[in-house]
Amino acid sequence: MNKKFGVVMLSLLLTLTVVLSGCAKKLEPKEAMNTAAANAMQMTSYEMKSSFVIEDLQMKVAATEGNPNVDQALTMLKNAELTLTGIHQAEPQQTEMQMGINLKGDMAMTFNIDMVMTKEKIYVKIPSIPMLPFPEDVVGKYLVMDLKELAEQAGETFNPESLDAQKSQKFATEVMNALIAEYDQAKYFKQIETKDAKLPEGVDAKQVVQFYITNENVKEALDILVNKAAPKIVDIAGKDEYREMLSLTKEDIEQAKKEVSSVDQGEFKKGLEELQKYLKINTFNITTAIDKKDFPVYQDLVMNVDFNDPETKDTVKLAVKGSTQYSKINEKQTFKIGIPKDADVITMEQFQESMGAY
């Protein structure tokens, strides 16, 4: 009886262990974001879609008040939306994107631009834009730009690393990790229940974490950015693999190091004090949704700020919202555009000739 009981208990214990190990473990918010950022480096292929919307834009500045051009620009930009959908694979390197621009106001317009990028070439589909009419024989064609030839024409050496998406991703991840490391979890990070995160359909997240800045911590946040994070970011940019990708020289890096290490702390602190007099942060959140494999599958930015200069009475209100969603991570990708065929492609010379005759 005791033996049977022991076998039953052992079986239950093993079953419970398997079930628990199968559950996605939630990490502390800061650690979760660090882990997700590190795993982003392992994303060799994916589909993505992004959007950026200016939800509110108001400006009352004495220098531009009553200027019809400024008023028209503000009206056009308010509620303006930029969308971007794309597919990427690292090997062989190929990326395609469809960018949509939607402007509002009296001169409202919507147009799309398709792009394809390989290791050495960029193809841009010439759109039909009401304000900028192109000749009919080029609209819908793909303008091909050979980056090596363009560099040679400019008397420069083509740097293929500048288009290395994997290296760019790795650089961005290291920068993100350097930033996150300097901010205290209790002051700048929090966990959000997935049911309360208002994630878009199709995002299956095990955990949602948020980095936030408020009026109470903005002064410290900027101090950390300038005095702690910036020097580390310059060091990262100074690594040979990234410096070449960014087309920076060793002299550029040394100059940047001097600048970030020689900030006049007295003037900087004074500037922070002044900033709090005219900056009001209503909302500044960066929310990241992490899936069961610890990939950052969704991220959004919500920013709503007011600037009020007590001396000039100038005011600016800006509210923006942006998001990026990833799917089919590390899966075989099916490109929708593909590499444009020769019959659909025109060179820069052909484009210029057509524009000259138009």
Side-chain angles (χ1 to χ4, degrees):
M1 182 69 176
N2 290 338
K3 185 176 180 181
K4 286 184 178 179
F5 179 75
V7 170
V8 171
M9 291 303 295
L10 179 60
S11 298
L12 287 173
L13 180 61
L14 288 173
T15 302
L16 182 61
T17 301
V18 170
V19 170
L20 289 177
S21 64
C23 294
K25 181 184 176 184
K26 287 188 176 181
L27 304 174
E28 289 296 312
K30 185 174 176 178
E31 183 184 359
M33 195 168 281
N34 262 321
T35 300
N39 279 343
M41 293 170 59
Q42 311 305 319
M43 292 166 57
T44 57
S45 67
Y46 51 79
E47 282 193 12
M48 58 85 72
K49 55 182 179 181
S50 299
S51 70
F52 182 83
V53 182
I54 301 176
E55 294 190 322
D56 195 8
L57 178 59
Q58 302 175 34
M59 185 168 68
K60 185 178 180 182
V61 179
T64 61
E65 196 167 5
N67 187 321
N69 293 328
V70 173
D71 293 340
Q72 187 179 66
L74 289 174
T75 302
M76 186 182 294
L77 289 173
K78 187 176 179 181
N79 294 316
E81 181 179 15
L82 172 69
T83 60
L84 193 67
T85 59
I87 302 171
H88 168 75
Q89 70 178 21
E91 197 59 45
Q93 187 174 321
Q94 185 175 339
T95 303
E96 66 179 40
M97 293 185 291
Q98 296 84 45
M99 181 170 65
I101 299 174
N102 186 8
L103 302 177
K104 307 290 184 177
D106 296 335
M107 300 185 69
M109 69 181 77
T110 299
F111 56 92
N112 299 298
I113 301 175
D114 293 348
M115 291 175 282
V116 175
M117 288 167 281
T118 63
K119 198 167 186 179
E120 294 186 346
K121 292 182 179 180
I122 295 180
Y123 301 83
V124 181
K125 189 174 184 179
I126 300 172
S128 176
I129 304 175
M131 284 183 63
L132 189 62
F134 292 112
E136 290 184 8
D137 63 332
V138 302
V139 171
K141 296 280 188 178
Y142 282 89
L143 175 64
V144 60
M145 289 172 278
D146 186 304
L147 301 174
K148 187 175 183 180
E149 289 181 5
L150 290 175
E152 289 173 352
Q153 290 171 8
E156 299 174 356
T157 302
F158 173 58
N159 179 15
E161 300 216 355
S162 64
L163 291 177
D164 189 328
Q166 292 299 110
K167 192 167 287 188
S168 296
Q169 194 172 1
K170 186 178 178 185
F171 171 70
T173 300
E174 286 199 38
V175 169
M176 178 66 75
N177 284 338
L179 278 169
I180 292 173
E182 298 301 329
Y183 289 94
D184 182 73
Q185 177 170 279
K187 291 182 181 180
Y188 299 96
F189 296 87
K190 65 182 177 183
Q191 193 105 244
I192 297 178
E193 292 297 324
T194 53
K195 62 182 177 64
D196 300 325
K198 298 179 180 178
L199 299 175
E201 187 177 351
V203 175
D204 185 15
K206 74 164 185 181
Q207 185 172 7
V208 180
V209 296
Q210 187 177 88
F211 172 81
Y212 63 94
I213 294 177
T214 65
N215 280 326
E216 286 67 37
N217 64 21
V218 63
K219 190 166 72 171
E220 181 189 65
L222 290 172
D223 190 6
I224 291 171
L225 177 64
V226 172
N227 289 315
K228 293 184 178 180
K232 289 187 175 181
I233 292 171
V234 172
D235 285 340
I236 294 170
K239 293 181 179 180
D240 288 343
E241 57 182 319
Y242 299 140
R243 183 175 55 76
E244 293 174 4
M245 179 190 74
L246 297 168
S247 298
L248 297 172
T249 65
K250 291 183 178 180
E251 290 73 21
D252 292 332
I253 297 298
E254 288 305 314
Q255 181 61 33
K257 285 182 178 181
K258 287 180 183 178
E259 290 178 3
V260 297
S261 64
S262 60
V263 175
D264 186 318
Q265 292 301 315
E267 286 296 317
F268 179 62
K269 301 294 184 187
K270 183 180 177 181
L272 289 180
E273 295 296 333
E274 288 292 319
L275 182 67
Q276 286 201 305
K277 292 180 182 179
Y278 59 82
L279 172 65
K280 179 184 178 185
I281 297 180
N282 301 308
T283 310
F284 186 93
N285 299 331
I286 299 176
T287 304
T288 303
I290 303 165
D291 72 1
K292 293 177 182 179
K293 295 181 180 179
D294 289 323
F295 284 120
V297 289
Y298 177 77
Q299 190 167 62
D300 70 32
L301 161 72
V302 179
M303 182 177 72
N304 186 313
V305 296
D306 295 330
F307 299 89
N308 296 285
D309 191 319
E311 294 182 4
T312 64
K313 305 302 181 183
D314 291 343
T315 62
V316 176
K317 181 176 180 61
L318 175 63
V320 300
K321 185 178 289 185
S323 67
T324 299
Q325 179 179 340
Y326 294 97
S327 60
K328 297 185 178 179
I329 297 172
N330 293 348
E331 296 180 12
K332 180 177 176 56
Q333 302 301 319
T334 301
F335 291 94
K336 298 173 183 177
I337 302 174
I339 305 298
K341 297 177 181 177
D342 291 343
D344 298 324
V345 171
I346 62 170
T347 64
M348 183 63 75
E349 290 78 13
Q350 292 171 324
F351 176 72
Q352 290 172 341
E353 285 176 10
S354 183
M355 289 298 291
Y358 184 58

